[in-house]
Amino acid sequence: MTTTTTPTPGLAPAPTSALNLSRTTATAARVLRQLRHDPRTIAMMILIPCVMLFLLRYVFDGSPRTFDSIGASLLGIFPLITMFLVTSIATLRERTSGTLERLLAMPLGKGDLIAGYALAFGTLAIIQSALATGLAVWFLGLDVIGSPWLLLLVALLDALLGTALGLFVSAFAASEFQAVQFMPAVIFPQLLLCGLFTPRDNMHPALEAISDVLPMSYAVDGMNEVLKHTDMTATFVRDALIVAGCALLVLGLGAATLRRRTA
């Protein structure tokens, strides 16, 4: 004899653990619909890296080689920073408003939620990276020996890494102000140690060892490989894979630390 069970009134269905494509895309579509009504956030994500590169080019107007030497590195760093800020604040806003709590009460897995956010912000990251790379190479005259498409790839991976870091740190912030406070702790050390200001092998051995485990270091190394070599090198592939692997790892940590808003 077959028996049926009825859910207990007042209890929400348990979230499913398996990643589901339809739930993920539905989450991404919801986030994109919300962002469509926030033009200031869209402008910040898409235009700010372009504006920063434009200013940087004319700051070094009398020394084009300086722009060539650091422009490619900043082409990856600017998207990482902007995506980190926007993603951490936007995700925290959903948590503090109760939206996240309602979503977790539905049959929606944490993996679906994190993947949906990553897909939505990743779509904007593609637009952001394409515009910034096109501006730097074809309008600002960034001199690149290798393929501009490889620059675009690293810029996109950096933007996705910023998205993943933003999703992760939002779990530990109680307000938007606290989310912004994570920037000096998460972004600034990587910025100082990534090799942008001085080659990493010129640093103190302890700082060089720390820089070897920071993903932004490999993003800058990958950009420099494109500047110096006409073809894709094994070092470039290694650097790109490390940045991509770090982004996936942080997304996994973000799903593990995702929780409901507590009173």
Side-chain angles (χ1 to χ4, degrees):
M1 183 176 65
T2 303
T3 60
T4 59
T5 60
T6 58
T8 304
L11 292 180
T16 55
S17 57
L19 195 65
N20 182 277
L21 180 60
S22 62
R23 293 193 295 262
T24 299
T25 53
T27 301
R30 180 188 63 81
V31 174
L32 289 174
R33 284 195 301 269
Q34 291 179 334
L35 288 174
R36 186 181 61 184
H37 300 292
D38 190 355
R40 287 178 297 182
T41 298
I42 294 177
M44 180 178 177
M45 284 190 289
I46 295 178
L47 297 181
I48 291 299
C50 294
V51 173
M52 294 296 101
L53 286 170
F54 185 85
L55 291 176
L56 184 70
R57 167 63 182 84
Y58 290 102
V59 165
F60 296 109
D61 191 40
S63 180
R65 290 185 179 180
T66 304
F67 177 71
D68 292 336
S69 64
I70 67 173
S73 298
L74 292 175
L75 184 60
I77 292 173
F78 285 154
L80 189 154
I81 293 174
T82 55
M83 294 305 295
F84 172 84
L85 282 173
V86 171
T87 305
S88 60
I89 292 174
T91 308
L92 179 65
R93 189 175 298 167
E94 294 221 324
R95 175 179 287 108
T96 55
S97 66
T99 301
L100 184 61
E101 188 170 6
R102 291 191 295 270
L103 289 172
L104 291 177
M106 299 169 61
L108 180 70
K110 293 182 178 181
D112 297 321
L113 196 60
I114 289 293
Y117 281 116
L119 180 60
F121 287 109
T123 301
L124 293 174
I126 293 174
I127 301 173
Q128 177 196 72
S129 301
L131 287 175
T133 303
L135 175 70
V137 174
W138 289 296
F139 290 94
L140 299 180
L142 181 66
D143 189 12
V144 180
I145 296 178
S147 171
W149 294 105
L150 297 181
L151 282 182
L152 174 60
L153 174 61
V154 179
L156 176 58
L157 291 176
D158 281 351
L160 293 176
L161 176 61
T163 299
L165 289 170
L167 289 171
F168 176 65
V169 303
S170 67
F172 304 98
S175 65
E176 294 181 13
F177 178 68
Q178 287 186 6
V180 175
Q181 285 180 313
F182 274 105
M183 187 172 174
V186 176
I187 301 297
F188 286 0
Q190 296 192 66
L191 186 62
L192 293 174
L193 300 177
C194 68
L196 176 65
F197 302 104
T198 186
R200 292 193 291 127
D201 53 10
N202 290 344
M203 298 177 185
H204 187 280
L207 295 181
E208 183 183 0
I210 295 174
S211 73
D212 287 340
V213 299
L214 299 177
M216 192 183 291
S217 300
Y218 296 95
V220 171
D221 288 349
M223 289 293 193
N224 289 332
E225 286 293 304
V226 180
L227 288 179
K228 299 174 183 177
H229 300 88
T230 56
D231 299 322
M232 183 186 300
T233 64
T235 302
F236 174 86
V237 174
R238 180 208 65 183
D239 294 336
L241 288 176
I242 289 176
V243 176
C246 289
L248 292 176
L249 174 63
V250 176
L251 283 176
L253 293 174
T257 57
L258 189 66
R259 63 183 186 275
R260 296 186 182 186
R261 176 175 58 90
T262 57

